[in-house]
Amino acid sequence: MDFIKKEEQLIQNILEQMGYETNKVSLVPSSKPEFGEYQYNGIMALAKRHQQNPQELAVKLNNELKNYPEFEKVTVAGPGFINITFQNEALLKYCEELLNSKELIEKNENPKKIIIDYGGPNVAKILHVGHLRSANIGEALKRLAKQLGYQVFGDVHLGDYGLQMGMVMLEIKTRYPNLSCFQPNFQGDYVLDLPINNEDLIEIYPTASKKAKADESIME
C-alpha cells in the first residue's frame, strides 16, 4: 500500500471511530500548496449525509488528526476543506519500510544489465537546476533498479563537446588574436595566462554559438 492510500485508510478509520460511515476517503494534492501538501474535500458530502454543519464536522476531524504524529500541520479552510502536511519523519519511515519490504528484496530470477544515462550537460555552458533534477531522478532510478536485483550502470554522458570547444576557442581567438597560443610558432611548452575569467566564459559560448548558426563560414 502506498503512503497516501495508507493515510486515506487511517483517516477513514478515524471517521468511523467518530461515528461517521464513509465508503472512501480520498486525498488530493492541494490546490494551494501554501496551505498544505494534500487536502481532503469529502467533509461536505459526509456532513450532508449526517445532517451536520460541514465546518463543525471539519473542525472535529481536524482536532482528531492532530493527535497522530504523521501529520505535521492540519488546518480547516472555507466551508470544510481540510489541508494536510505530513511529517518528514513519517515519509522517511515509509521509505524504510519499502526498503525492507519482502517484495523488494526477493531474489530476482531474471536479472538484467541496465545502463541509465542521466546527465548530458553542455560542457561549454554553466549548469542549471534542470541538471540537478535529472541527476536526482536518474540516481533514484538506479538505486531502485539495484534494489530489485538488476546490475545497473549509471552514466553522465558529456556528449559531443568538440564543436562547443571549437566555438569557444575561435571566439577567444577573434577577441584576442595576439595571444601566444594562436601564433604559428607556439609549442605549448609553458603555462598560458589567459585574459578571461569564468564570467567571460559564460558569455563567450552563447555569443560564439549565435555567430556560428548565422554564418556557415564561421561554423566551418
Side-chain angles (χ1 to χ4, degrees):
M1 181 181 295
D2 70 39
F3 182 79
I4 295 303
K5 283 186 170 55
K6 185 178 178 182
E7 298 307 311
E8 289 173 340
Q9 185 62 57
L10 172 62
I11 294 174
Q12 183 173 342
N13 293 341
I14 293 172
L15 283 169
E16 290 176 354
Q17 291 171 11
M18 293 169 60
Y20 300 99
E21 293 185 7
T22 176
N23 295 328
K24 184 180 180 182
V25 169
S26 295
L27 296 179
V28 296
S30 177
S31 59
K32 295 183 178 180
E34 64 270 24
F35 297 126
E37 299 166 339
Y38 282 81
Q39 60 189 55
Y40 173 48
N41 303 328
I43 286 293
M44 277 70 79
L46 193 63
K48 183 178 181 180
R49 191 182 313 143
H50 290 272
Q51 299 182 335
Q52 291 191 9
N53 182 298
Q55 193 168 48
E56 291 179 1
L57 177 53
V59 171
K60 287 171 65 177
L61 177 58
N62 177 70
N63 292 335
E64 289 293 328
L65 294 180
K66 288 181 178 179
N67 295 322
Y68 291 81
E70 51 260 72
F71 302 111
E72 178 177 317
K73 181 181 177 184
V74 186
T75 59
V76 176
F81 301 109
I82 296 183
N83 297 306
I84 296 172
T85 297
F86 295 106
Q87 285 276 7
N88 289 336
E89 289 77 7
L91 296 170
L92 288 171
K93 182 180 178 182
Y94 177 73
C95 290
E96 290 173 356
E97 291 174 357
L98 281 181
L99 285 174
N100 296 321
S101 169
K102 185 175 183 294
E103 295 177 2
L104 285 180
I105 60 177
E106 279 185 342
K107 183 179 179 182
N108 193 331
E109 300 295 339
N110 186 30
K112 299 177 180 179
K113 291 183 179 179
I114 300 175
I115 298 176
I116 302 179
D117 173 14
Y118 49 91
N122 185 333
V123 296
K125 297 169 67 176
I126 60 174
L127 299 178
H128 55 76
V129 69
H131 296 103
L132 183 64
R133 177 183 60 196
S134 60
N136 278 301
I137 293 172
E139 182 67 17
L141 290 173
K142 183 181 78 173
R143 294 186 184 195
L144 178 60
K146 281 186 174 181
Q147 186 70 26
L148 292 171
Y150 296 104
Q151 186 178 5
V152 190
F153 302 91
D155 180 43
V156 177
H157 181 61
L158 296 181
D160 177 16
Y161 54 85
L163 178 61
Q164 290 93 322
M165 292 298 99
M167 289 179 179
V168 170
M169 288 188 286
L170 181 58
E171 181 63 21
I172 293 175
K173 182 178 181 181
T174 302
R175 299 183 185 192
Y176 305 100
N178 295 324
L179 283 175
S180 57
C181 59
F182 298 127
Q183 306 312 309
N185 61 348
F186 179 67
Q187 300 297 317
D189 53 357
Y190 56 87
V191 177
L192 184 66
D193 185 18
L194 289 176
I196 59 177
N197 55 35
N198 287 339
E199 286 70 27
D200 296 323
L201 286 172
I202 291 172
E203 177 269 328
I204 283 174
Y205 173 73
T207 300
S209 180
K210 288 180 182 177
K211 287 183 179 179
K213 290 176 182 177
D215 189 332
E216 290 185 4
S217 64
I218 292 178
M219 179 66 80
E220 181 62 26

